[in-house]
Amino acid sequence: MTDTPHPVDHRAYGDVSTGSRDFIARHGLWDDHRRDAAAELEASLESLDFVRLVFADPHGLPRSKTLTADAFRTVLRNGMDHSPGPFVFDTGHATAVDFTVPGGGIGVDELLGAGDFVLVPDPLTFRELPYTGPRTGWVIGDEYLRSGAPHPLSSRGVLRRLCAGLREKDLDYVVGLEVEWYLTRLVDQHYSGRPGGFGVQGRPPAVQPVNGGYQFNLEGLTDALEPVLAPLTRALMDMGLPLRSVEHESGPGQLEFTFAPQSALDAADTMLLFRATTKQVCARLGHHASFMALPGLPGFDASGWHLHQSLARASTRENLFTSPDGEHALSETGERFLAGLLGHAADAALLCVPTVNGYRRMADRFSLAPTRAAWSVESRGAFLRVLGAYGDPAAHIENRMGEPCANPYLYLAGQLAAGLDGIERELAPGGPAADPHDTALPPLPRDLREALGALAASDFYREVLGASLTECLLRLKSSELRRYTAWQAGAAADDAHQSEWEHREYFATY
């Protein structure tokens, strides 16, 4: 007589990939708003084939697993197990954090031995990707330890914590995105080079410029790209992203997209999805999109990510940076926030410009990128450009330092923490700079090495980010810099120009 097999209810166990049974409810990880959104999402899964569960690694790159819609039902209760690989590899996939030895976990015990963490979807971030063949959803997850505690290496977790602290004070950090990027035409096929390996990136895709560029905002250049821009912008708007404008910048195929102001966490989520969608839609159309600051292609100009920011009263939406008199461009609150940004300009640089390549943009005075920790009203050459005047309800501060591939959660968190520090300590920014490039002004870090040193010496950001995440960032970026320096030594590189190493490292990945 043989035993009749009984079907196994995998939901009872959480199975091998979908977290721990009832993990979300047991640890109280969702508020009522998210529980309601999860119920609506689960009811809509019948119309989907797959769901991509995504999170941003410390580099700001989206890492994901694609689940069947039925498997995702279980994830809505249990979360999903995920390897810690994205926390330990640098931009070239070299192991920067040794997770095999005691102390290698940089204060995160679960990292030792490459133990899994639990990724919990945030149902408020769900979108359906309108450009995919199988009907596919996209949702951002938050990283947690097995104990249910927030993962110390979660960059989204840092921004969520800071924003939660604001809400307790009836405040909101309002952010507008202004992002430059490059569209190029793929030659032959998407991948045209040799594979790489751990710490060695393969050849990036071969591309051609889509135009000659250098006719700023010329309508004809934008219109000629309509076969690509139309499906891209339609996809962004269909997903509910608050796209505001599209324009052609200076370089060949260099574009700028801007988005309407959002609360900070929503803005960072928008940036993550915008970059992913742009690369995916363009690839489907035989093109390549890159957010690398300065691609290693002849005639290309540098791209920036300008961050527009202000504080508002959450209950009334009143802009707290609006000046109540005719003598100042910003209110006292706005000026103190500005002073905090200036005071932490150097130690926040790595959060704004995290790659070797990004600092090339800041070396060119005519790129309208900053070189000094200075502010000015309207000047695009300043680190901080103040836009506003007496009574202006849209008064705000623009950070012109950032590069387009920065981690959006860390970029925003670094700015918010610095501004709040200025308010708390009642700092004064001093007067605006007549020449924002005046060498008498405090310098901004000139390269990744200087930015690493400034962050390593910052007790302020070690507290804001947490010791583990700070150490993780320092190890990741130090590994990246070591590999670049080693390549320079072997290639007799001209450090005044972007290198083959940089183009391989960033052009495809970002």
Side-chain angles (χ1 to χ4, degrees), residues 55-63 86-87 91 143 153-159 177 264-265 267-269 271-272 275 291 305 307 348-355 402-415 465 469 472-473 476-477 510:
F55 75 102
D57 70 8
H59 306 293
L61 294 168
R63 306 290 179 175
F87 292 136
T91 49
E143 309 97 302
L153 303 183
S154 170
S155 55
R156 189 173 193 258
V158 172
L159 185 59
L177 307 176
L265 190 62
D269 290 342
M271 186 65 175
L272 189 71
R275 291 190 304 207
F291 292 85
W305 170 10
L307 189 70
L350 188 74
L351 309 180
C352 305
V353 187
T355 71
E403 66 172 318
C405 57
N407 180 321
Y409 304 102
L410 296 180
Y411 189 2
L412 271 61
Q415 293 294 282
L465 303 175
L469 180 53
C472 181
L473 290 171
L476 292 173
K477 305 316 290 184
Y510 287 103

Side-chain angles (χ1 to χ4, degrees), residues 186-187 189-197 199-207 288 297 487 500-509:
L186 288 165
V187 176
Q189 57 188 2
H190 183 68
Y191 179 74
S192 57
R194 296 192 300 270
V200 180
Q201 291 293 281
R203 291 188 186 276
V207 300
H288 177 66
L297 297 169
W487 182 88
E500 177 192 354
W501 184 95
E502 292 166 70
H503 195 65
R504 284 186 178 221
E505 186 84 1
Y506 308 120
F507 186 63
T509 301

Side-chain angles (χ1 to χ4, degrees), residues 149-364:
H151 200 296
L153 303 183
S154 170
S155 55
R156 189 173 193 258
V158 172
L159 185 59
R160 280 190 67 175
R161 172 172 49 79
L162 290 174
C163 291
L166 281 183
R167 285 195 300 272
E168 294 175 358
K169 301 176 182 178
D170 192 29
L171 297 175
D172 189 21
Y173 181 42
V174 180
V175 172
L177 307 176
E178 178 186 337
V179 190
E180 296 167 349
W181 58 281
Y182 268 102
L183 178 69
T184 53
R185 184 178 297 108
L186 288 165
V187 176
D188 194 25
Q189 57 188 2
H190 183 68
Y191 179 74
S192 57
R194 296 192 300 270
F198 286 91
V200 180
Q201 291 293 281
R203 291 188 186 276
V207 300
Q208 293 176 339
V210 293
N211 57 44
Y214 298 104
Q215 288 291 338
F216 183 70
N217 285 172
L218 187 67
E219 182 182 9
L221 291 180
T222 308
D223 183 72
L225 299 178
E226 191 71 7
V228 177
L229 294 181
L232 172 58
T233 54
R234 187 163 51 246
L236 295 173
M237 291 188 290
D238 285 349
M239 291 186 293
L241 301 190
L243 182 66
R244 190 172 185 177
S245 68
V246 174
E247 63 187 72
H248 198 290
E249 285 283 324
S250 294
Q254 186 183 41
L255 295 157
E256 179 181 276
F257 280 26
T258 71
F259 294 83
Q262 297 175 275
S263 293
L265 190 62
D266 292 335
D269 290 342
T270 288
M271 186 65 175
L272 189 71
L273 180 54
F274 162 57
R275 291 190 304 207
T277 297
T278 299
K279 293 182 76 69
Q280 291 164 20
V281 170
C282 290
R284 284 167 167 78
L285 297 170
H287 287 69
H288 177 66
S290 181
F291 292 85
M292 178 182 179
L294 186 56
L297 297 169
F300 277 46
D301 191 26
S303 295
W305 170 10
H306 306 145
L307 189 70
H308 298 258
Q309 52 192 322
S310 63
L311 285 180
R313 185 73 60 196
S315 56
T316 64
R317 309 312 300 165
E318 172 194 3
N319 183 356
L320 299 180
F321 283 9
T322 299
S323 175
D325 60 55
E327 297 182 10
H328 301 88
L330 295 174
S331 67
E332 184 177 67
T333 296
E335 289 191 342
R336 290 173 175 173
F337 195 97
L338 178 69
L341 297 179
L342 288 170
H344 291 290
D347 46 344
L350 188 74
L351 309 180
C352 305
V353 187
T355 71
V356 167
N357 179 259
Y359 290 89
R360 296 197 180 279
R361 171 175 164 266
M362 298 167 63
D364 181 2

Side-chain angles (χ1 to χ4, degrees), residues 20-67:
S20 174
R21 183 179 179 185
D22 296 327
F23 183 83
I24 296 168
R26 279 192 292 114
H27 296 292
L29 302 182
W30 284 344
D31 55 20
D32 290 342
H33 197 26
R34 286 178 170 79
R35 280 191 290 271
D36 291 344
E40 292 181 12
L41 173 55
E42 186 167 12
S44 70
L45 289 176
E46 293 296 336
S47 64
L48 294 175
D49 298 310
F50 297 99
V51 176
R52 297 179 191 172
L53 181 54
V54 184
F55 75 102
D57 70 8
H59 306 293
L61 294 168
R63 306 290 179 175
S64 73
K65 290 190 178 183
T66 300
L67 301 116

Side-chain angles (χ1 to χ4, degrees), residues 439-465:
T439 56
L441 295 166
L444 295 170
R446 293 170 296 179
D447 54 31
L448 184 59
R449 185 180 305 279
E450 290 188 3
L452 272 165
L455 181 62
S458 175
D459 292 335
F460 175 76
Y461 277 115
R462 195 168 291 272
E463 182 176 349
V464 170
L465 303 175

